[in-house]
Amino acid sequence: MDDFKSIITYTTQEYGSVKVKLSKVLDGIGITRNRLQKLTGIKYEVIDRYYKAENIEMVDLDFLAKVCFVLDCKIEDLLEYQKPE
């Protein structure tokens, strides 16, 4: 048939996860969360949540586009798929 895997019965440990790397990018170029808030107009609380990579179940594409534009980076600089171990 086809070579695709179904994830219906899998858990996160079996199919992997997506890591948010905003803290690595900001720390690497020396921009604070406050500065990013002023440059993007995004609420500090939202930036802080992505920075800490906490409570993120779904990503906001508008958020990612604004951050990529302001920081002149690529989406893969901010997100990374991690295969299951």
Side-chain angles (χ1 to χ4, degrees):
M1 201 152 169
D2 58 40
D3 294 330
F4 297 108
K5 301 174 198 168
S6 171
I7 63 168
I8 305 262
T9 60
Y10 284 69
T11 63
T12 303
Q13 293 79 18
E14 295 173 300
Y15 62 80
S17 62
V18 175
K19 178 180 178 184
V20 179
K21 304 185 300 182
L22 180 61
S23 62
K24 181 179 178 181
V25 173
L26 291 182
D27 294 347
I29 58 178
I31 292 183
T32 65
R33 288 169 273 180
N34 282 323
R35 180 77 175 133
L36 184 61
Q37 189 276 323
K38 290 176 184 169
L39 293 170
T40 61
I42 298 169
K43 291 181 182 180
Y44 180 86
E45 294 79 17
V46 174
I47 293 171
D48 190 53
R49 192 176 64 214
Y50 278 87
Y51 182 87
K52 293 176 180 175
E54 295 177 344
N55 302 318
I56 302 172
E57 294 178 12
M58 297 172 52
V59 295
D60 180 341
L61 297 179
D62 189 54
F63 170 85
L64 294 174
K66 286 178 181 179
V67 171
C68 284
F69 179 81
V70 167
L71 301 181
D72 191 29
C73 67
K74 298 177 183 175
I75 196 77
E76 54 266 27
D77 295 330
L78 301 174
L79 301 175
E80 177 183 327
Y81 170 68
Q82 295 183 318
K83 293 182 179 183
E85 295 181 12

